[in-house]
Amino acid sequence: MEIMMAIIAGFLFSAATYLILSKSLLRIIIGTGLLSHGTHLLLLTMGGLGGKSAPVVADGVTVADYVDPLPQALILTAIVISFGVTAFALVLAYRTYQEIGTDNMDYMKGRGEID
Amino acid sequence: MINLVVLPIIVPLFIGTVLLLFRKSLLAQRALGLFGAAATLVVSLILLAKVATDGIQVVTLGSWAAPYGISLVSDMLSILLVTTASLLTLLVLWYSVYSLGEKRELSFFYPATLFMLTGINGAFTTGDIFNLFVFFEVFLMASYVLIALGGERIQLRESMKYIIVNVVAAALFVITIGYLYSITGTLNMADLAVKLGDIGSMGVISTVAIMFLVVFGIKAGIFPLYFWLPGSYYAPPLPVLALFGALLTKVGIYSITRVYTLIFTTDVVFTHDMLMMLAIATILFGSIGALAYMDVKKIIIYNIVIAVGVILFGVATFNEVAVTGSVLYLIHDMLVKALLFLMIGVLIFITGKTNLREMGGLIRHYPVLGWTYLVAVFALAGIPPLSGFAGKILILQGGLEGGFNWQSIVVALSTMVVLLSAIRIFIYAFWGTEKSFNSPPRASYVKRMVPVVILFALTMGYGVFIEVLMPLFQAAGTQLMDSSIYIDAVLGGEK
């Protein structure tokens, strides 16, 4: 199961890399979204995928049955952070489009003018 | 007070939050903003005195025992950095009161700066690797706001690149933490050091160590990961640039120092040699950049890159003399870079230009700025009685003792490049034939010079009275080289 998840995370990373290296600003932001998905999936996988029961204290569940609760807390934190950053990046991309008038990264260099 | 360690993080956070309530009042923003930075400075000075007398201070949040809860650890290195960061934030905020302009000041400039200080102080203080990531994001988020604040075209363009680079770096950071967690099953730095020490040398641990070098190297601006730095730092207004140049890259340097002296010490031959090569390459490429430009901002920005290389050379040498020198040089570099950026700010304010070829003959009308700038450049290069000297001489001594002969020569020669690149600003802008500028009113020049001269006096004092401060730096060097002191302070309770 871990190998399967590692392959999927790797596929997400390669797709993210491909998108981040493209010219359009929105494709880059979609790439960062995929990148954070891959990251969170990897974090979950790295904590181990064993365990039968969700980490909530309940009757009739022994300690050995629980899934490792720590990676889930880490992922929850990382999700919120990447959500905040993505929201900021999207608004900034919108402002950049309004101000500079393009979403092509090729035109966003030098003195910032489109000739 | 047991919770003293938390105060340098809580105080700016709390005052920054209060500031959000008064967004229309310029007076409240300025007064509370300056008060917040000053209060942070005071509590960090108290904590510094505490650490100097009683050794490493540890707080475990919520009283959960060390490897299970989050511990905040204030050893000598971290409290020295926290104090310097708070001091510089205070002086830069004072400078920005006169220089930033009301519109920007009312657009959450002061809260964002205080939140950035929160994140920086937290990153210096934390003893948990995932908590370090969270504090990284705290100050990065604030720095995104600061770099885009004002919304000029160049700012929008460069902040977009800055955010993309840092998002990728943050994802890499989380991936690396995931790998480390799957190897050791812990996130506490002291516990990590113990567990990795038990495992010993293993290929996958060196891989993770290099991944951490990549992650923190992007923040610190080492070769070949400094590509984003010259462009992004060129965009924001000068007070923001001074904060970034003095503080942000230094968090990356601190993190490299921390993980490479505490956690990854089992395969030093591979990891520290890698760091050594990258440090030398960083110095070389920074030197090329510093000499290539005739633009005052670009020259000082590339000097940041050179200093990063010099400090990491000391860390990579990995003996007590060089590490002590690195800490000394790190604090010196924070002070002097903030000072130089503020001086460049006054220069650009007077002339209205950034190109050196369009300046000249300023020494007649602005002698205070001219001569203090010249002395600051000598301090940057490390002329003996001034602040850069003691750190660099220790780094070189440590480098020669460690057998890194030609690398030490490169570091020594980089001093020449630093001196040449920065003195060119003095020669072009202050000497030569006078050129006419729409000179601004004298009063606003004097107002801006007050915080600059205070920072200048502090930097000079740091160099001249280094003997008095030396015990602090020796303690920092000892604590860094002997990781058992740190581990015992954090995990000591249950052993």
Side-chain angles (χ1 to χ4, degrees):
Chain A
M1 191 61 188
E2 274 91 349
I3 291 176
M4 185 79 136
M5 294 292 261
I7 291 170
I8 293 172
F11 185 73
L12 282 171
F13 288 148
S14 43
T17 312
Y18 176 74
L19 283 172
I20 288 173
L21 292 177
S22 62
K23 282 180 184 171
S24 152
L25 203 46
L26 273 182
R27 287 166 73 102
I28 292 174
I29 293 176
I30 293 170
T32 61
L34 286 183
L35 186 63
S36 58
H37 285 331
T39 312
H40 301 151
L41 202 60
L42 190 79
L43 208 50
L44 192 71
T45 314
M46 284 291 143
L49 294 174
K52 291 184 210 117
S53 136
V56 181
V57 178
D59 287 337
V61 188
T62 54
V63 177
D65 286 342
Y66 288 123
V67 174
D68 188 353
L70 193 66
Q72 302 190 6
L74 302 187
I75 291 167
L76 194 59
T77 315
I79 286 174
V80 180
I81 289 173
S82 71
F83 179 69
V85 174
T86 308
F88 189 85
L90 278 170
V91 174
L92 195 71
Y94 179 59
R95 278 282 289 141
T96 311
Y97 177 69
Q98 279 184 325
E99 197 77 19
I100 302 180
T102 179
D103 75 332
N104 191 331
M105 288 304 272
D106 267 359
Y107 293 128
M108 293 193 201
K109 57 189 179 187
R111 305 179 66 83
E113 312 297 330
I114 308 167
D115 298 316
Chain B
M1 250 181 81
I2 303 168
N3 289 332
L4 201 57
V5 177
V6 187
L7 287 183
I9 307 170
I10 291 288
V11 168
L13 177 67
F14 178 73
I15 296 178
T17 315
V18 171
L19 268 179
L20 295 177
L21 302 174
F22 303 105
R23 70 160 297 207
K24 292 278 161 59
S25 157
L26 194 59
L27 182 71
Q29 292 282 326
R30 286 175 174 174
L32 269 177
L34 283 171
F35 171 74
T40 315
L41 179 60
V42 170
V43 292
S44 26
L45 282 173
I46 296 171
L47 183 56
L48 176 62
K50 179 92 174 151
V51 173
T53 50
D54 297 353
I56 299 180
Q57 299 291 308
V58 183
V59 169
T60 46
L61 297 179
S63 297
W64 295 95
Y68 304 111
I70 289 175
S71 23
L72 296 180
V73 187
S74 210
D75 67 345
M76 200 36 115
L77 171 64
S78 86
I79 187 57
L80 280 170
L81 287 167
V82 165
T83 313
T84 316
S86 312
L87 173 74
L88 292 177
T89 309
L90 176 63
L91 287 167
V92 172
L93 280 184
W94 185 359
Y95 179 86
S96 50
V97 166
Y98 305 124
S99 70
L100 199 66
E102 281 187 25
K103 198 159 164 270
R104 280 200 170 108
E105 280 182 85
L106 284 177
S107 318
F108 300 111
F109 170 73
Y110 293 100
T113 312
L114 287 181
F115 290 148
M116 195 165 90
L117 185 61
T118 308
I120 289 170
N121 282 351
F124 286 148
T125 313
T126 186
D128 182 283
I129 201 92
F130 193 77
N131 199 231
L132 180 68
F133 163 72
V134 175
F135 276 122
F136 260 84
E137 290 303 308
V138 170
F139 78 72
L140 280 176
M141 202 66 183
S143 77
Y144 300 156
V145 174
L146 286 175
I147 199 173
L149 194 68
E152 289 166 25
R153 294 173 73 114
I154 179 171
Q155 282 181 294
L156 290 171
R157 217 175 61 214
E158 294 301 334
S159 56
M160 208 63 234
K161 295 172 193 169
Y162 179 73
I163 289 178
I164 293 165
V165 168
N166 278 303
V167 166
V168 173
L172 264 178
F173 198 171
V174 178
I175 292 168
T176 315
I177 289 173
Y179 288 157
L180 198 56
Y181 179 71
S182 76
I183 297 169
T184 60
T186 180
L187 293 168
N188 183 298
M189 288 190 204
D191 201 28
L192 275 173
V194 173
K195 293 236 164 73
L196 288 180
D198 290 345
I199 296 172
S201 184
M202 210 167 108
V204 71
I205 295 173
S206 301
T207 312
V208 172
I210 295 301
M211 282 188 74
F212 268 117
L213 185 60
V214 171
V215 170
F216 296 137
I218 293 177
K219 317 277 181 193
I222 66 175
F223 173 84
L225 305 165
Y226 71 96
F227 55 89
W228 58 274
L229 193 143
S232 296
Y233 278 19
Y234 196 81
L238 245 302
V240 178
L241 171 57
L243 279 178
F244 281 21
L247 304 181
L248 289 196
T249 52
K250 274 54 180 188
V251 187
I253 297 177
Y254 163 81
S255 308
I256 293 177
T257 312
R258 181 63 80 205
V259 296
Y260 272 50
T261 53
L262 180 65
I263 303 177
F264 301 111
T265 50
T266 45
D267 191 12
V268 178
V269 178
F270 177 67
T271 52
H272 288 59
D273 272 9
M274 181 76 119
L275 185 60
M276 173 66 77
M277 285 190 304
L278 291 178
I280 296 297
T282 309
I283 295 173
L284 291 176
F285 279 78
S287 302
I288 293 170
L291 290 177
Y293 284 93
M294 286 299 274
D295 184 297
V296 283
K297 277 177 165 177
K298 276 270 157 65
I299 291 173
I300 307 295
I301 287 171
Y302 274 101
N303 269 298
I304 300 177
V305 179
I306 302 178
V308 169
V310 172
I311 297 165
L312 288 180
F313 168 81
V315 176
T317 305
F318 205 53
N319 57 32
E320 192 164 328
V321 180
V323 171
T324 310
S326 278
V327 179
L328 257 169
Y329 199 77
L330 180 56
I331 306 287
H332 145 78
D333 192 59
M334 290 168 82
L335 290 169
V336 83
K337 285 286 146 54
L339 177 64
L340 283 174
F341 277 120
L342 293 187
M343 284 177 162
I344 294 298
V346 179
L347 191 64
I348 294 172
F349 171 68
I350 293 170
T351 59
K353 300 184 170 70
T354 59
N355 191 331
L356 274 179
R357 291 197 185 85
E358 298 169 17
M359 300 179 189
L362 287 172
I363 197 76
R364 187 186 296 267
H365 298 294
Y366 302 96
V368 178
L369 178 65
W371 297 120
T372 49
Y373 178 79
L374 184 67
V375 178
V377 169
F378 288 155
L380 176 73
I383 308 272
L386 304 173
S387 61
F389 175 69
K392 205 171 251 176
I393 203 77
L394 284 180
I395 290 177
L396 288 176
Q397 188 193 336
L400 291 174
E401 277 174 15
F404 298 103
N405 293 328
W406 68 265
Q407 290 96 330
S408 303
I409 293 173
V410 172
V411 173
L413 287 179
S414 76
T415 306
M416 301 289 173
V417 178
V418 168
L419 184 62
L420 177 61
S421 67
I423 207 100
R424 277 198 314 175
I425 298 180
F426 181 78
I427 291 172
Y428 276 87
F430 290 97
W431 287 352
T433 49
E434 255 178 78
K435 302 208 168 108
S436 65
F437 307 106
N438 323 329
S439 291
R442 196 79 195 167
S444 54
Y445 161 71
V446 174
K447 270 187 198 161
R448 281 158 198 248
M449 279 308 281
V450 174
V452 175
V453 168
I454 290 175
L455 182 55
F456 175 76
L458 285 170
T459 313
M460 293 308 120
Y462 177 77
V464 176
F465 299 110
I466 198 70
E467 279 300 325
V468 185
L469 298 171
M470 208 53 202
L472 303 183
F473 293 104
Q474 266 153 0
T478 313
Q479 287 168 4
L480 279 175
M481 284 311 292
D482 185 1
S483 56
S484 65
I485 304 176
Y486 185 99
I487 295 168
D488 284 348
V490 179
L491 300 177
E494 66 256 47
K495 268 190 181 169

